[in-house]
Structures are given as structure tokens and as C-alpha cells.
Amino acid sequence: MSKFTVLTISLLATTIGMCAAALPSQAQDGVSSGRACRVTDPTGTPLNARLQPNGKIVNRIRNGRTVYAQSISSDREGKPWVLVASKERGSYKILGYVLREYVSCY
């Protein structure tokens, strides 16, 4: 694993930890922690998941994939972003932040 990859993972973990501590379990816009959502990007291309709202791309998520909302934040322009995770073997794996308008939660 390269030093860059380790640094990226470390920064993502730090960002997630700070967000989890600062946000209530019920977030704005009807998104709550652990709520199931589906990626609904109208472009049909994989959705970029980022290290932080409007930040560096760290993952790409295929359209139609089920993800789980962890928290919601806003960028400097006030656009809502959702921190999403996948569920693997009973635990959540953080994928990154995606624009709220590209996920449909239920």
C-alpha cells in the first residue's frame, strides 16, 4: 500500500470521526443514520464519492447500488452531501460523500 493511499485512508477516517461526533443521529432532509438509499444519478455514469463534501474523489459508485446514509453535511455553497457506506458482512464500509440529489432514500 502506497504512502498516498495510507494518507487518504487516514484523512477519510479522521473526517468521518469528526462528522460522526458532530452530527445528531437524525439528520436534515429526512436522511437518518443507517437509512437505506439507492444511487440514482441521472447521467448513468458511476457516482463520484468524495473524501469530504466537494473534495477529492475516493470512490465511484455504480448507479442503482444500495448504500446506507451515515450523516449529512453541506458544502460552502449550501448544497447537501450524504456520507454513504456499503454494508458488508454485517458492518458498514464508508464509501465517501455524495451529492444528496443523486441518492434516493427510503
Side-chain angles (χ1 to χ4, degrees):
M1 191 177 292
S2 73
K3 289 181 182 180
F4 178 76
T5 302
V6 171
L7 177 61
T8 300
I9 292 168
S10 177
L11 287 172
L12 182 57
T14 301
T15 301
I16 293 164
M18 289 186 309
C19 290
L23 294 170
S25 61
Q26 178 67 34
Q28 64 195 30
D29 197 23
V31 177
S32 58
S33 183
R35 187 167 183 190
C37 304
R38 186 167 309 279
V39 174
T40 53
D41 184 347
T43 67
T45 60
L47 180 61
N48 293 330
R50 299 172 182 270
L51 184 60
Q52 60 189 19
N54 231 1
K56 179 178 173 25
I57 297 169
V58 292
N59 273 311
R60 297 183 194 277
I61 309 169
R62 70 176 163 71
N63 210 26
R65 182 174 178 181
T66 298
V67 294
Y68 297 87
Q70 302 301 297
S71 63
I72 191 165
S73 297
S74 295
D75 62 18
R76 292 180 182 170
E77 297 174 5
K79 292 181 183 177
W81 291 75
V82 180
L83 179 63
V84 296
S86 62
K87 197 169 186 180
E88 298 176 9
R89 297 184 193 112
S91 62
Y92 293 102
K93 175 186 174 195
I94 299 298
L95 300 173
Y97 284 91
V98 298
L99 272 170
R100 170 65 177 99
E101 64 189 275
Y102 297 131
V103 293
S104 300
C105 300
Y106 43 94

